[in-house]
Amino acid sequence: MRLRVAVPPGFTRPMIRSFANRLVGRAIRKTLAKLPFDEFATILLSPREFFPAGVSGKRILHITDDWVAGAGMMGLSCASVSSTLRTNIAAADIVCVVSPALADLASVGTARRRAVVLPNGCAVLALAPANEERRGAVGLVGQLNERLDFDVLDALVKSGVDIEVIGPRREREAAATERLDRFLNANNVTWFGEIPENQVFAKMQNMAVGITPYINNEFNRASFPIKTLDYLAAGLPVVSSDLPATRWLNSEWIEVAETKEKFVEMVRCALDELPTESGIASRRAFAGMHTWDARAKAMMSLIGGTPA
């Protein structure tokens, strides 16, 4: 069930935000009172919201990114995010993080908590047989913003490989807009924009290699890119920037590039390889150990419930 609550415009501003939070809390309590079960747990995954008051069950704070480092990119105040995070850590029964690098966020200020690493997951769907007539394109899937390593993308464009891009633009900075314009308008780049999820997976099956080209900054080092697992779930080989999350996965099916030159070289090697049923199956089997269902079972076990 999804509960949608009407709140005043400008609800991210401090004064209105406090009022909006009370409206949301009241709506949650009223809805729960009408449902034929008891509250089991509240899971909070936001850098700007608080746990709703008056709701029983365990409180789990799930930190999905370095919200403090990424506050500006999300259009939020760094001071406000830090304050909200301290309040929520202190109120939580359990603090989870999606990557080991985020564990330090559980010790913001005086609110020191031991964090449990619970990474992002993926969906493993039905897959067509290996297609030897595939287009041989490099695939980049996901939001397009300041997190991308534009030097790597420019190097790939210059190398002449065909690149297919799926995902919406979400950049905020003028410099990122300029770099994205140049990249997406290149002759060997096809941008499909934002398309339905089932169509994304279908297009990925015709790609030759998936890429995770993230710039080396504090926010990205603490992240756990979902696209990497999604590529593997589609049976694709992956070339990724050197990220702690990628090292944590420790998969033979992910090539880790430390330089843009190495990135291009690894992509070219992946393009030269023909797809095989065994290779696709092995990548999908690895992704199958990291599905959202597996993460949900881990969460249920963590908070003391019976895994589904």
Side-chain angles (χ1 to χ4, degrees):
M1 175 184 290
R2 166 180 260 178
L3 175 63
R4 303 184 68 179
V5 184
V7 297
F11 63 88
T12 59
R13 298 176 181 175
M15 295 293 291
I16 303 178
R17 176 184 172 197
S18 177
F19 176 63
N21 284 337
R22 289 198 294 271
L23 289 178
V24 171
R26 185 178 68 177
I28 290 173
R29 292 191 298 273
K30 288 178 66 176
T31 301
L32 288 172
K34 299 176 183 178
L35 298 176
F37 50 76
D38 297 326
E39 301 94 88
F40 180 60
T42 299
I43 304 175
L44 180 62
L45 307 92
S46 171
R48 66 187 184 193
E49 310 298 335
F50 296 96
F51 285 104
V55 178
S56 62
K58 287 188 177 180
R59 292 181 169 187
I60 298 92
L61 175 64
H62 190 49
I63 303 175
T64 59
D65 286 295
D66 189 336
W67 292 330
V68 177
M73 187 172 64
M74 295 183 287
L76 303 174
S77 159
C78 183
S80 176
V81 170
S82 295
S83 175
T84 301
L85 186 59
R86 284 195 298 269
T87 299
N88 286 332
I89 289 173
D93 297 305
I94 300 170
V95 178
C96 300
V97 294
V98 298
S99 73
L102 281 172
D104 288 344
L105 273 192
S107 299
V108 173
T110 58
R112 306 189 67 83
R113 300 293 300 274
R114 179 178 176 274
V116 178
V117 178
L118 187 64
N120 288 326
C122 64
V124 179
L125 307 177
L127 186 66
N131 178 14
E132 295 188 3
E133 301 299 324
R134 61 185 178 166
R135 293 189 297 276
V138 177
L140 172 61
V141 177
Q143 292 190 21
L144 309 175
N145 55 28
E146 290 79 2
R147 300 183 65 182
L148 296 173
D149 190 329
F150 295 113
D151 289 341
V152 167
L153 294 178
D154 287 347
L156 285 171
V157 168
K158 188 176 180 180
S159 74
V161 300
D162 291 328
I163 306 171
E164 295 187 349
V165 183
I166 301 173
R169 293 182 63 159
R170 293 287 187 265
E171 80 275 11
R172 290 178 173 271
E173 300 173 3
T177 296
E178 181 181 351
R179 298 293 296 271
L180 273 174
D181 284 344
R182 187 169 70 194
F183 169 64
L184 295 174
N185 289 322
N187 291 332
N188 53 331
V189 174
T190 302
W191 179 38
F192 294 100
E194 187 172 12
I195 62 178
E197 186 175 354
N198 62 328
Q199 294 181 27
V200 173
F201 196 73
K203 286 186 177 297
M204 286 171 65
Q205 293 182 59
N206 289 323
M207 295 173 179
V209 55
I211 59 172
T212 305
Y214 277 8
I215 194 169
N216 184 8
N217 61 22
E218 187 177 3
F219 185 83
N220 284 339
R221 286 192 297 273
S223 71
F224 195 99
I226 297 175
K227 58 168 60 68
T228 299
L229 285 175
D230 282 343
Y231 296 143
L232 294 174
L236 299 179
V238 180
V239 177
S240 172
S241 301
D242 192 358
L243 302 171
T246 304
R247 297 289 184 181
W248 181 89
L249 283 169
N250 191 30
S251 171
E252 64 178 301
W253 307 111
I254 305 173
E255 296 288 349
V256 180
E258 297 179 354
T259 66
K260 64 180 181 181
E261 292 80 12
K262 198 66 176 176
F263 204 107
V264 173
E265 178 186 338
M266 289 176 170
V267 166
R268 282 197 167 279
C269 287
L271 289 172
D272 289 339
E273 293 182 7
L274 290 175
T276 64
E277 292 290 351
S278 60
I280 290 174
S282 295
R283 295 182 191 104
R284 300 192 77 228
F286 179 85
M289 298 186 296
H290 298 275
T291 64
W292 288 116
D293 282 349
R295 301 298 190 239
K297 290 177 180 179
M299 175 67 81
M300 292 293 287
S301 178
L302 183 65
I303 60 183
T306 303

